[in-house]
Amino acid sequence: LGAAGNPHIHTPHLDRLAARGVFFSQAIISTPQCAPSRGVLLTGLESYQNGLESNGRTAFRKGLGPTVVEQLRRGGYHTALVGKWHIDPPPDECGFAEAPLWLAPGASRYVDPLLRRGFDGKDEKTPGHITELFTDAAIECLRRLRQPFFLWLAYNAPHTPWYADEKYKKPYAGRGDQLAPPAHPKGGAKFDWETYYAVITHLDEAIGRLVAELERAGLWDRTLIVFLGDNGYLCGTKGLQGKVYPWEESIRVPMFASGGMVRPGARIDAPVASIDLPATFLDYAGIRPAYPMAGRSLRGELESGRSRRTVAFAAWNDGRPEALVIRKPVEPYRVVRTRTHKYILWESKKQALFDLRSDPAEEHNLAGDARHAQVLARMRALLAQRMKETADPALAWLG
């Protein structure tokens, strides 16, 4: 995003929305893959706690308790889903009162997609562009939903296979690798920045329409708006595409909040994670969580524009080939992220430590460097504490 410091991409609506709220410049996703990312947001629990661990394990463990959406619904909120779903339990079993237009699988073509209307709807060819279709459905929700409401709007863009109209591609045409964000590591595999950016610019325009409708309806002052990527994208880093890996391009995501109750113009570089959002939603709704959550409410940060947080965590727990479409397994790992460092521990007990200030491309593993032994010990201690608090089955990895 432009708001994140990328001068090459055109995202004026998102940039303005971010400037009107609190931007978390070092936010990470708790599990960097589509389905488990949703599982974390629905439960406030790590993927290894809730059982929805990967795109190959898309059901919650039994006896989990009501989702965050169900808790909001019981608390008097009208809950609506628009957009991508991509997990086994249907939306109505996860607390949604309605799902006017939604995508059941994990990806879609962009033009005339196969979408469902209502909980009992079947996949039907729906004329139009998927970004516009979801936006129109969300705007219709805003016009008729009674307050208070919780609208879960999950766009397909910018998921592959990418498609963009020429008018969105025009600003980027012929610029190729020159479009890479300033902080993107040099080298790596070739990446189609032109189409990727065009898809995001279209998305930006759609969100601008949605925010305009929110303001027209007089809802801005009483609404919390959260924008989040459900995972990062490697874009050729280390020769890789996609996500799942523990590298910054995979786990770092755009995340900000706006709305009448949020402090405008604030930027926070403290480490936070997507798992903090469910607790935030319940906090603002005045609802006590039905079970202990693994994240902490960000309400204090959103209203003050400051944070004392020192650490965030990410995890990948499914090492099976079927966890990824490409059937190439990714070794399970745990990540500890501070403002300055990242520590990675793999299931094989391999470990890595990176100084993100001097080595943002994560090229120099400091885990074996005696000069960084104290930092390494501190990061491992933070991980051990987290593992104990969340009953992490990977605690044995620490040896």
Side-chain angles (χ1 to χ4, degrees):
L1 301 181
N6 185 351
H8 307 305
I9 194 166
H10 299 280
T11 51
H13 299 285
L14 286 168
D15 297 346
R16 178 172 179 264
L17 190 60
R20 299 173 74 185
V22 176
F23 188 93
F24 294 96
S25 62
Q26 297 207 57
I28 63 173
I29 204 74
S30 296
T31 296
Q33 197 186 41
C34 310
S37 184
R38 281 159 173 72
V40 168
L41 291 173
L42 284 166
T43 63
L45 299 173
E46 297 284 9
S47 55
Y48 55 79
Q49 292 179 295
N50 65 47
L52 206 166
E53 294 183 341
S54 71
N55 287 355
R57 284 182 172 143
T58 56
F60 295 119
R61 66 173 175 81
K62 294 182 179 179
L64 194 65
T67 67
V68 171
V69 179
E70 177 61 32
Q71 292 176 61
L72 288 167
R73 186 177 180 180
R74 294 178 185 180
Y77 279 74
H78 187 89
T79 53
L81 164 74
V82 173
K84 175 178 167 179
W85 187 234
H86 194 206
I87 64 173
D88 277 357
D92 53 329
E93 291 184 11
C94 290
F96 287 99
E98 64 170 301
L101 190 67
W102 57 292
L103 171 67
S108 169
R109 60 178 181 253
Y110 281 65
V111 178
D112 299 341
L114 297 176
L115 302 178
R116 300 184 182 187
R117 296 184 184 275
F119 298 134
D120 298 324
K122 305 299 182 184
D123 290 338
E124 294 182 0
K125 183 177 179 179
T126 309
H129 190 288
I130 194 167
T131 298
E132 298 300 325
L133 290 166
F134 286 159
T135 305
D136 290 343
I139 288 174
E140 184 181 338
C141 277
L142 291 180
R143 288 174 176 169
R144 62 177 171 73
L145 289 183
R146 60 178 177 82
Q147 279 210 291
F149 67 84
F150 178 80
L151 172 61
W152 176 299
L153 172 56
Y155 283 102
N156 179 68
H159 201 289
T160 55
W162 296 311
Y163 167 83
D165 294 335
E166 288 303 315
K167 71 173 183 176
Y168 299 109
K169 295 174 73 171
K170 189 175 180 179
Y172 309 114
R175 297 170 62 188
D177 291 342
Q178 300 173 19
L179 294 169
H184 190 74
K186 306 300 180 186
K190 190 173 180 59
F191 184 72
D192 183 6
W193 295 105
E194 296 178 16
T195 307
Y196 187 57
Y197 280 12
V199 171
I200 295 171
T201 295
H202 189 176
L203 173 65
D204 174 82
E205 182 181 273
I207 291 174
R209 287 206 294 124
L210 184 72
V211 173
E213 177 61 29
L214 194 76
E215 292 180 302
R216 187 203 63 77
L219 296 173
W220 174 269
D221 290 340
R222 294 177 288 152
T223 304
L224 175 68
I225 305 165
V226 175
F227 180 85
L228 173 76
D230 73 347
N231 49 247
Y233 204 79
L234 288 156
C235 304
T237 297
K238 302 183 189 300
L240 300 167
Q241 306 292 349
K243 51 261 187 176
V244 178
Y245 292 89
W247 313 122
E248 286 291 274
E249 291 74 28
S250 175
I251 69 169
R252 281 278 294 282
V253 290
M255 175 174 157
F256 62 82
S258 295
M261 65 282 290
V262 177
R263 184 182 181 88
R267 194 175 184 89
I268 293 177
D269 68 350
V272 299
S274 58
I275 202 166
D276 296 319
L277 290 175
T280 306
F281 300 150
L282 293 180
D283 189 0
Y284 270 104
I287 297 171
R288 185 175 181 177
Y291 46 79
M293 292 191 167
R296 293 183 296 151
S297 173
L298 293 166
R299 184 171 181 173
E301 280 82 352
L302 297 182
E303 295 179 358
S304 70
R306 299 184 300 274
S307 179
R308 294 181 179 178
R309 298 191 188 215
T310 59
V311 65
F313 303 90
W316 174 250
N317 208 53
D318 191 352
R320 305 173 306 147
E322 53 266 43
L324 284 81
V325 174
I326 58 174
R327 301 283 172 169
K328 183 179 179 181
V330 173
E331 183 180 354
Y333 59 77
R334 301 292 185 267
V335 168
V336 183
R337 182 73 160 65
T338 68
R339 278 182 170 91
T340 59
H341 289 79
K342 178 195 281 185
Y343 173 72
I344 309 168
L345 178 67
W346 283 274
E347 185 178 34
S348 61
K349 300 185 179 181
K350 293 184 301 181
Q351 58 183 355
L353 176 68
F354 299 102
D355 186 332
L356 298 174
R357 298 165 301 180
S358 61
D359 181 27
E362 300 172 285
E363 295 177 335
H364 307 290
N365 184 359
L366 305 174
D369 190 329
R371 293 171 296 179
H372 299 274
Q374 191 172 359
V375 176
L376 181 71
R378 182 170 66 89
M379 301 291 267
R380 284 176 63 90
L382 289 169
L383 179 59
Q385 180 181 352
R386 176 66 169 185
M387 286 177 156
K388 291 174 183 176
E389 290 173 351
T390 59
D392 190 342
L395 185 58
W397 299 359
L398 285 168

